[in-house]
Structure formats: structure tokens, C-alpha cells
Amino acid sequence: MNCRTNPTGVLSSLDHGTLTKDQLRELESAPLTKKRAALDLLIRAMPIFAGLLAMAEYLCLPDLEGNSHTMTYAYFLGALIAAAAAAFIGSFFSRRVYDRLRHGAPFYSLVFLLLLGYDWVTLKTGKFVLPYFPWVDQILNAAIEDRLQLLDCTWHSLMLLFTGYFTGALLGLLTGVACGYNKRVDYWIAPFMRLLGAIPSTTWIPVVMVLASSLFKGSVFIIALGVWYSLTIATITGIRNIDKSFYEAARTLGAKTRHLVFRVALPFALPNILQGLTQGMSSACMALMVAEMIGVESGLGWYVTWQKSWAQYGKMYAAIVVLCVVFVAVNWLLNKIKRRLLRWQEGAVQS
């Protein structure tokens, strides 16, 4: 740390390992050295340079004989470069934008370089050959051409995913609270938990698809089963880790059983419950794909299998990209909710 850019009081506090809020603000606002400022500027501009490099590779280098491309991928790259440029400009005016861009710029640059590399080994050199490896331009055009079908399949996948997820979450929460709070209930339920926990939920697909009255209901059961187990275990763990003195203090104040559950057990077990919900979403996404590829006659998993059977690999990859975007968005939303509910766990700066 440069002593010329930091007050003596801050350095003294660093020696003692403590910082007040005012000292932390003073340290963050201290001017950077010229070398550090130039490096910081270069890092934030890296995605723009990487995007322009990918654009130049796509437009300027000749395609392999027999290959051709449209401007769709160029427009896509242009939109990404424009977003990177907007973030770069915004980083001069917003500390939040600055922090996010400074942290994510190397990864964003890597994404552009990966796109460049994939385009090089497919469209430009043919190292990866058709029909198994279409170039990005073909994938984008396939997605645009079949966008209505993709939107319909996305809707069916989300409906199936959330129906199974919320069903399993509700049952898992009820089971976890009952087993974690009541030893008698746990005596009867625990053996089944140990049995089902050792078997992946997707193992039951052949049986469920035969017994279920519809493929949709059978798929909901498979998804809900994985979520139920994850949340039940997490809830039981959270409730059993609560110090008994909290229950005793609540009883001393006249709390009844329902108060002990809703005012003591559930609030203290909330971090574990939310962790179980996050793990359950991962199980739900995996079960969704397996169920759609094997039994369900709609959804993105079904679409991937259908297009693969017709050797339409461009549309297949387009659906896989949509799947990735959907799953990332769902998990991002779940993590945002988790951080919001657990904001009280965030560490505080000493004052």
C-alpha cells in the first residue's frame, strides 16, 4: 500500500487490524497511482477490445471453402460490444457499475475470445465439421427461425419446473419441521429418508411414468421428490442446530408450541432452509431435463431430443443455449431472494 496516498491514521489502524467506517471510506477514495490507474482503465476496457477482435475475425478472415455466413452473428457481437462500451462509460459515473465491471471484465473478455475460437475452428477452418458443430451464426439463425417453438417449449419447461419445485418445497418444509421438531415423527420418517436419499430421483422415472395418470404428473413427482429430500434434510439440520436455551427462554415468556415453531425454529433455521432450496433447484433442473428427454412430449429437453433425432444440430444447440440462460436466470433469482432474506448475516464494519 502506498503511504503517500493514505493518511497516517489509516495506516496506524491497519497495523492494529481495525478500520472505522470513516477510515474505510477515506481509504477507498484515496487516489490511485498513475500506473495503477492505467492498469485499471485497461482492465475495464478489455471486453471492448476482445469483442472488436472477435468481430474482426468474423468479418475480415475468409471462410472455409463451402462455408458461408450472414450478418446475424455480427449484429449479436455488436450488441455485446455496445453493452461493454456502455458499462465502460458508466463506470466513470457509478461506483456500482465500476465495481462490477472491474470484477467481471476479465471473464467477459474470455467469453469473447471463446466465441472467436469457436468461430475459427468451425466457420473459418472447419476443424469441427458439420453437421455436429454448426458455427455461432447458424445457431443464432436457427433460434430466430424456430423462435415460436422455442418460446412454447420454454414456457412448458418453466411450468413443469416450478410446479414440481414448489410442490416438493412445500412438502419438504412440512416434513423437515415435523421431523426436526418432533422426535416421534422423525422415528417413523427417518428410515424412509435414508432409503430415498440413497436413490437419485431420476431412477424412479420408469416406474412413475407407468403408474402416473399423465406424463406431466409423473414428471412433477420426479422433480418434487428431489426437492423434497434436499429441503427436508436442510430443515431438519437447521432446527436441530438451534440452542435449546432459545426454546426454554421462549417457554418462560409463555410461548406455545406454534410460537416455538414459527417464532423460534423457522427463523433460526432459515439459512439452512434457503440452502436446501438452492440445492433443490439444482436437483429439479436435472430431473426436469431427464424427464423431458425420456417421457414428456413438450419442453426444452424434449425439443433437444427431437431436433437431434432429425440431425438439426443448429436448433439443438440453440435450445441448449436457451436452457442455460433459463437455468442461470432461475438460480440468479433464487440467490437474490436468499441474499435479501439473509442480509442480516452480512458482516458489519467496525465503528
Side-chain angles (χ1 to χ4, degrees), residues 128-175:
F128 291 175
V129 298
L130 290 174
Y132 305 107
F133 297 100
W135 41 91
V136 180
D137 186 63
Q138 285 186 322
I139 296 173
L140 291 174
N141 285 320
I144 295 172
E145 177 187 350
D146 215 20
R147 59 187 179 278
L148 295 180
Q149 183 76 23
L150 282 171
L151 287 173
D152 182 69
C153 289
T154 302
W155 164 251
H156 281 89
S157 289
L158 288 175
M159 184 171 60
L160 178 57
L161 174 66
F162 285 116
T163 301
Y165 181 77
F166 286 120
T167 301
L170 177 61
L171 295 176
L173 185 61
L174 294 175
T175 307

Side-chain angles (χ1 to χ4, degrees), residues 157 288-289 292 300-301 304 318-328:
S157 289
L288 172 70
M289 286 299 94
E292 287 187 341
L300 290 171
V304 169
I320 292 175
V321 172
V322 174
L323 271 173
C324 293
V325 172
V326 169
F327 288 164
V328 168

Side-chain angles (χ1 to χ4, degrees), residues 293-310:
M293 289 181 176
I294 294 179
V296 180
E297 297 180 354
S298 62
L300 290 171
W302 166 83
Y303 183 89
V304 169
T305 305
W306 178 46
Q307 296 298 344
K308 178 179 177 295
S309 65
W310 288 96

Side-chain angles (χ1 to χ4, degrees), residues 242-243 246-247 250 255 258-269:
I242 299 174
D243 195 328
F246 291 118
Y247 291 117
R258 67 175 183 274
H259 296 123
L260 294 177
V261 173
F262 291 103
R263 298 294 181 87
V264 179
L266 286 178
F268 277 91

